[in-house]
Amino acid sequence: MSSTLDPNLRRALADRVRYYKELGIYDFYRQSVVADERGAQTSVARTPSPAAVVIREEQNLSATTNLESPLPDPASSLRQIREDLGDCTRCRLHKQGRKQIVFGVGNPRAELMFIGEAPGADEDQQGEPFVGRAGQLLNNMIKAMGIRREDVYIANIIKCRPPGNRTPERDECETCSPFLMRQIEAIHPKALVALGAVAAKTLLAINAPMTELRGRWYDFRGTKLAVTYHPAFLLRDPRQKKEAWKDLQMVMKELGLEAPAKSPE
């Protein structure tokens, strides 16, 4: 089966399989349907789908390589993920004006990882997440926590700018998020911070307002996840900066960071 699959299809299947495995779904089957001589349709034995074949091969590879292999280096793992991503054409965004893929930036061994929504115009131009006005505010927020931007890792749910900075569509998030899941797995931070509703709802699969999502810890595949407002939202409504600072103080306490004397302005 593996030798007959188109390489691009195989790569897309592998990406989707990893995504579903993160959700706890491991088995995929294709059920064949045939018609008898009277025209009635009946089901026959289930046969593994191409996705199931990819899963099986990945499991076999994992079983043979993980017995004696040391844990992979996070930086090397991130480079491999970026290589697998390639010049991505998996969703419609590559046809809608994106200039380049915005993968992620920061310390591969970061204890803290921030996850935003999608690249904006500045990010699309420079190829790095959070470099515009919202990025400057995020930098100030990180500095106020007593750490540097270089100490954390920053990424987005999707890696291409949606046209007009619109909210990412669900299928775009589903197509791109497997790469983010692999980034999180490679870095293995102590804490994740979801910036804004899109990031929070995508990661947690919870459809709730920000007022309900904030102020508590979530277990995200063994890593603690907190939710706060997106810096772009805070630029539009500066009154919420105090609430965001409360969220960051909760994160600081978890990481053992000493709170500065003053909150960020």
Side-chain angles (χ1 to χ4, degrees):
M1 173 68 71
S2 60
S3 61
T4 61
L5 282 179
D6 176 80
N8 292 330
L9 173 60
R10 181 178 180 78
R11 185 165 55 250
L13 281 172
D15 293 339
R16 183 52 59 94
V17 163
R18 292 190 190 98
Y19 172 68
Y20 282 118
K21 285 172 68 176
E22 292 287 345
L23 298 179
I25 302 171
Y26 297 92
D27 296 320
F28 296 83
Y29 291 92
R30 177 176 58 205
Q31 188 169 20
S32 301
V33 178
V34 298
D36 60 21
E37 52 196 25
R38 294 174 298 176
Q41 292 184 338
T42 57
S43 298
V44 298
R46 298 186 302 175
T47 59
S49 68
V53 173
V54 173
I55 289 178
R56 189 174 297 116
E57 291 181 358
E58 286 193 349
Q59 289 173 335
N60 292 338
L61 179 61
S62 176
T64 58
T65 58
N66 289 344
L67 291 177
E68 300 180 357
S69 299
L71 292 176
D73 174 64
S76 298
S77 297
L78 290 172
R79 286 194 296 269
Q80 182 61 56
I81 298 167
R82 181 63 185 89
E83 182 178 332
D84 292 344
L85 180 60
D87 186 20
C88 187
T89 59
R90 294 170 178 82
C91 78
R92 68 179 71 90
L93 291 178
H94 78 282
K95 298 180 180 179
Q96 297 185 344
R98 73 115 196 260
K99 289 183 173 63
Q100 59 183 310
I101 292 170
V102 181
F103 182 68
V105 68
N107 184 355
R109 299 182 182 274
E111 293 188 347
L112 177 60
M113 183 173 179
F114 289 92
I115 301 174
E117 174 181 316
D122 293 314
E123 290 75 17
D124 186 43
Q125 184 69 36
Q126 299 184 39
E128 183 173 323
F130 286 91
V131 293
R133 290 184 62 223
Q136 293 173 10
L137 178 55
L138 178 60
N139 291 345
N140 291 337
M141 294 163 65
I142 294 171
K143 183 178 179 180
M145 298 174 71
I147 52 180
R148 304 170 302 164
R149 180 181 172 102
E150 295 80 9
D151 297 326
V152 305
Y153 195 89
I154 306 172
N156 285 305
I157 293 292
I158 66 172
K159 305 189 182 305
C160 295
R161 180 195 180 197
N165 291 349
R166 64 161 170 78
T167 300
E169 300 289 345
R170 180 177 179 179
D171 63 312
E172 295 164 354
C173 295
E174 289 178 348
T175 300
C176 203
S177 58
F179 294 99
L180 173 64
M181 302 305 170
R182 291 176 62 189
Q183 286 174 284
I184 295 172
E185 182 179 0
I187 298 166
H188 196 61
K190 289 185 178 180
L192 299 165
V193 176
L195 299 170
V198 171
K201 293 177 181 180
T202 301
L203 293 171
L204 297 173
I206 298 176
N207 188 15
M210 285 291 291
T211 53
E212 296 181 12
L213 292 172
R214 292 179 47 254
R216 53 169 293 191
W217 285 107
Y218 299 86
D219 180 13
F220 183 78
R221 297 175 174 83
T223 300
K224 287 193 171 184
L225 184 149
V227 177
T228 193
Y229 293 113
H230 194 287
F233 173 79
L234 297 177
L235 290 174
R236 296 192 299 269
D237 188 356
R239 296 172 299 177
Q240 302 303 323
K241 287 184 178 181
K242 290 183 179 180
E243 295 301 311
W245 179 235
K246 292 178 183 178
D247 300 329
L248 296 184
Q249 286 179 310
M250 182 180 75
V251 175
M252 293 165 61
K253 182 177 180 181
E254 178 66 26
L255 296 178
L257 298 174
E258 183 177 351
K262 296 181 179 180
S263 63
E265 296 181 359

